Amino acid sequence: MTAPAISLRDIVCTFPPSSKGRTPYTAVQNVSLTVADGEFVSVVGPTGCGKSTLLNVAAGLLNPSGGSVDIFGEPLRGLNRLAGYMFQAEALMPWRTAMQNVMAGLEVRKVDAAESRRRATEWLERVGLGGRGDAYLHQLSGGMRKRVALAQILILEPRILLMDEPFGALDVQTRQLMENELLALWSANRKSVIFITHDLEEAISMSDRVVVMSAGPASHPIGEFPIDLPRPRDVAEIRLTPEFLRIHAAIWETMRDEVLKGYQQHERA
Amino acid sequence: MNAPNASMNFYRAAMFAGSLLTWYVLTETAILPPFFFGEPLKIAAQMWTWFSSGTIYPHLAITLLETLLAFVGGTLLGLIAGLWLGLQPTASDLLSPYLKAFNSMPRLILAPIFAVWFGLGIWSKVALGISIVFFLVFFNVFHGVREVNPVVLANARMIGANKPQLLRMVYIPSAMTWVFASLHNAVGQAFVGAVIGEYLGSVKGIGYLILEAEGIFDINAVFAGILTLTAFAYGLDTIVSVAERRLLRWQPH
Ligand SMILES: Nc1ncnc2c1ncn2[C@@H]1O[C@H](COP(=O)(O)OP(=O)(O)O)[C@@H](O)[C@H]1O
Ligand SMILES: [Mg+2]
C-alpha cells in the first residue's frame, strides 16, 4: 500500500493568551486524520472549532504544538510544497489582473513568460473565465474571484488540495455550479483533497469521506463517515436521493449535539 | 476626486481670473498698499522679463535640480529603509525611538549644519530636502509593509514565492498605495528644503532671487518668484498624480 497523501497524528494546537492574565487556548487536541492518495475528504464542524487551524498545519503554515504531519510518508518540514491552498478569505493579489494572478506561481518558478501566459489562458478558460484575463479583481464578482483563485492553484498541478470553505461566501446557484466544476476538475486528475466546510450537505455531496469535528476548545474528530454514493455526481441532484438523505440523517445525529454546544459557547463568548 | 467636467473647469478659471482682478483692483486703488501687496500687472511683467530675457533659467535650473534630487533621493532612501525596517522587527524595535525623535525634530533647524558640512552649493539644499522627504516616505512605507494583508502573503508563499519574490509581488505593490499618499506631500516639502536652504545662504536659485528682491524692497519680484515656484511645484505634483493613476490602476475608483 502506498503512503497516505496526508497523515496528521495527534495534532495539538495551543495559542498563547491574547493578553496577560488569560489562559492559553487549545483549539484542537489529539487530531489524527489521514487522506489517502486521490481521496476527497471533507471536514465539517461548528464555526471556530479549529478547521482552518488544522488546514494551516497540513499546509505547513502553522507549526503544531504537538503531533506530527507526514506528506506521502515524509515528515513535513516548512511549507507543504505539494499542496495548493485555497484560503477562506480573499487571498489574490489585487494589484494584479486575473491573468497575472493565475500566472504568479509559474512566474516564481521562472517559467518562460509566453508559455505561462498560454497555460494561464487555458486555465482561465477551464474555470469559465476565458476573455476576462485582463480584469482587475475589483472588476470581478465574488464567484469569479474564487475561480481565479482555483485556477491560480490548479495551474501548478499540486498533488494535494487544501480548501478552506472555498464557496462559503457564494450564493446557492453559483455555489452548486462551482461544486460541480470542482468535482469535474478533480475527477479528471484525482488529487488528494481536504475540503473544509460548515455545510454538511456540501460535504456529503462532494466527498469520499466526511470527518465531523467536535466544538472547541480542544476540538477533535467525533465521527468519520464513508460516502459511497456513485460518481460522477451532480451536487444538486444527488441531494434528492434517498441514499443521500439516509447518510445525512446519520451524520446529523452525531453532529447535532456539537453544533448546539458550539452555538451556546458562541452565545456566551 | 472626480474628473472635472467642462463647466467645473470654467468655474475654476473664472475663480482664478476673479482673484487676480480683485487683487488688481484693491492694489490699484491703494486699498491694499502696493508696496506690501505687489501689483499683478507688474508681477506679470517681471515674470515675462525673466523668462523672455532668460535671466531666470540658471536660477530655476538650480532650484529644480535641488528639488528633484531631494525628492528622488529622499523617496528612494525612504522606500529602501521603510521596506527593510518593516521586514526587520528587531531592528525596527531598536531604532524606533530614534526615528520618532528625528521625525519630531523640525528638520529645518538642520539647515545651518548642512551648510557647514556641504557648503553653499546645491548639496546642502539637497541634504535638507532629503532629510524632510525621507521621513515622510519612510513612515508610510514602514506602515504599508506592516499592514500587508497576511492572507495575501500566505497565499503568495504557498504558490512558491521566496523572500525576494514576496518583496516584489506583495510587499512593494502593497506599500505603493501608502507611498503615493506621501509623495504629494513630499513634492511640496522638497521645494521647501531647496528654497529655505537658498534663503540661508546661496548664490543662485529662486530662493536667492526672492531674497535679493526682498533686500531692495522689490515686492513684485518677490511675488513673481513665489508664483513661479508655485507653478512648478504644481506641475511636479501633477506628474506624481499621473504616475499614481497609472501605477494604482488596479484600485477601484
Ligand atoms: N493565531 C491565533 N491566535 C489565537 N487564537 C487563534 C488563532 N487562530 C485561531 N485561533 C482560535 O482558534 C479557534 C479555531 O479557529 P479556526 O481554526 O479559525 O476555526 P474554524 O476555521 O473552524 O472556524 C478559534 O477559537 C480561534 O479564535
Ligand atoms: Mg475557518
Side-chain angles (χ1 to χ4, degrees):
Chain A
M1 216 188 99
T2 56
I6 303 168
S7 165
L8 305 178
R9 269 193 311 274
D10 304 321
I11 298 294
V12 184
C13 286
T14 303
F15 293 110
S18 53
S19 56
K20 272 206 184 103
R22 294 200 155 208
T23 48
Y25 183 81
T26 299
V28 295
Q29 189 157 37
N30 297 328
V31 176
S32 295
L33 174 69
T34 57
V35 179
D37 193 6
E39 190 183 20
F40 196 122
V41 175
S42 284
V43 177
V44 290
T47 303
C49 77
K51 303 182 295 293
S52 299
T53 303
L54 269 189
L55 215 57
N56 285 336
V57 169
L61 285 167
L62 177 69
N63 249 333
S65 328
S68 64
V69 184
D70 284 358
I71 301 300
F72 289 106
E74 302 280 331
L76 176 63
R77 272 186 224 94
L79 289 187
N80 187 343
R81 289 276 159 235
L82 297 179
Y85 192 147
M86 200 154 154
F87 288 83
Q88 183 170 6
E90 301 263 353
L92 295 167
M93 294 171 270
W95 41 85
R96 290 182 160 230
T97 60
M99 173 74 80
Q100 289 167 339
N101 265 289
V102 176
M103 287 167 64
L106 299 177
E107 191 181 314
V108 303
R109 284 165 181 73
K110 309 251 188 314
V111 175
D112 164 69
E115 164 69 6
S116 61
R117 180 165 291 271
R118 189 185 61 73
R119 277 157 67 181
T121 309
E122 224 172 80
W123 267 104
L124 280 170
E125 264 160 31
R126 216 168 286 172
V127 296
L129 285 177
R132 297 306 305 272
D134 290 332
Y136 282 101
L137 296 183
H138 71 89
Q139 297 164 320
L140 299 174
S141 70
M144 290 173 174
R145 290 201 289 268
K146 286 293 174 191
R147 287 160 200 262
V148 176
L150 195 60
Q152 184 189 56
I153 290 156
L154 292 181
I155 197 172
L156 300 173
E157 302 181 350
R159 293 180 68 186
I160 295 171
L161 260 183
L162 306 172
M163 309 185 80
D164 195 354
E165 307 196 23
F167 311 136
L170 305 182
D171 63 89
V172 179
Q173 277 79 24
T174 314
R175 186 172 180 159
Q176 293 191 343
L177 222 68
M178 298 274 308
E179 288 165 359
N180 276 333
E181 280 173 25
L182 176 64
L183 279 186
L185 289 167
W186 172 76
S187 56
N189 167 1
R190 295 212 171 191
K191 302 175 187 309
S192 315
V193 184
I194 299 185
F195 187 94
I196 305 278
T197 172
H198 56 238
D199 177 348
L200 182 55
E201 298 198 4
E202 183 178 43
I204 298 172
S205 58
M206 308 276 290
S207 322
D208 297 322
R209 188 154 51 98
V210 173
V211 175
V212 179
M213 301 277 292
S214 72
S219 177
H220 54 94
I222 48 168
E224 282 202 27
F225 302 84
I227 312 294
D228 41 17
L229 297 170
R231 289 188 193 271
R233 301 176 188 165
D234 178 297
V235 293
E237 282 167 16
I238 204 161
R239 286 171 201 213
L240 307 172
T241 63
E243 236 344 62
F244 182 96
L245 297 172
R246 190 187 56 72
I247 297 171
H248 188 278
I251 301 180
W252 181 241
E253 192 63 32
T254 314
M255 268 184 82
R256 190 173 46 207
D257 296 342
E258 293 304 323
V259 173
L260 284 176
K261 224 190 285 174
Y263 184 68
Q264 282 159 2
Q265 276 165 6
H266 224 75
E267 292 283 273
R268 249 180 281 135
Chain B
M1 197 166 44
N2 293 322
N5 53 29
S7 71
M8 182 49 82
N9 275 337
F10 172 77
Y11 288 126
R12 285 172 177 173
M15 191 167 173
F16 183 67
S19 317
L20 282 181
L21 190 66
T22 313
W23 189 7
Y24 172 76
V25 170
L26 287 177
T27 49
E28 194 67 13
T29 55
I31 295 174
L32 290 176
F35 182 77
F36 293 116
F37 292 92
E39 289 157 276
L41 287 181
K42 289 188 180 154
I43 293 169
Q46 175 70 75
M47 288 172 83
W48 171 252
T49 317
W50 276 347
F51 281 93
S52 61
S53 69
T55 49
I56 198 175
Y57 293 125
H59 296 287
L60 194 57
I62 289 287
T63 303
L64 287 181
L65 181 66
E66 289 161 353
T67 302
L68 280 178
L69 285 174
F71 178 67
V72 172
T75 301
L76 281 180
L77 288 175
L79 198 65
I80 292 166
L83 282 171
W84 183 68
L85 273 189
L87 298 171
Q88 302 275 337
T90 321
S92 67
D93 275 355
L94 178 71
L95 293 177
S96 90
Y98 299 99
L99 290 167
K100 282 188 188 136
F102 261 112
N103 189 46
S104 49
M105 173 171 71
R107 242 63 49 62
L108 293 178
I109 61 176
L110 293 176
I113 295 186
F114 287 140
V116 172
W117 286 355
F118 301 110
L120 295 183
I122 66 166
W123 296 109
S124 54
K125 288 80 182 171
V126 173
L128 188 60
I130 285 181
S131 75
I132 303 172
V133 171
F134 170 84
F135 282 96
L136 285 176
V137 176
F138 167 80
F139 280 105
N140 274 281
V141 175
F142 183 75
H143 286 295
V145 169
R146 290 277 170 114
E147 307 267 310
V148 161
N149 181 339
V151 182
V152 173
L153 195 62
N155 186 53
R157 289 177 64 205
M158 283 307 292
I159 61 174
N162 57 26
K163 272 271 165 64
Q165 287 165 336
L166 286 179
L167 203 62
R168 190 172 53 77
M169 289 173 90
V170 181
Y171 285 111
I172 292 178
S174 166
M176 267 311 163
T177 324
W178 294 75
V179 172
F180 274 108
S182 63
L183 285 192
H184 290 286
N185 208 346
V187 168
Q189 294 299 320
F191 270 103
V192 168
V195 174
I196 298 289
E198 287 169 2
Y199 282 172
L200 291 179
S202 62
V203 288
K204 251 187 196 154
I206 302 285
Y208 168 78
L209 215 56
I210 292 177
L211 197 68
E212 200 188 37
E214 198 235 311
I216 54 168
F217 301 106
D218 183 357
I219 198 74
N220 289 323
V222 171
F223 273 111
I226 292 172
L227 288 180
T228 307
L229 273 183
T230 306
F232 277 88
Y234 189 63
L236 201 54
D237 189 73
T238 307
I239 293 174
V240 170
S241 294
V242 171
E244 183 175 18
R245 264 201 298 282
R246 292 194 64 132
L247 280 172
L248 300 185
R249 212 172 15 158
W250 56 272
Q251 286 186 334
H253 297 291

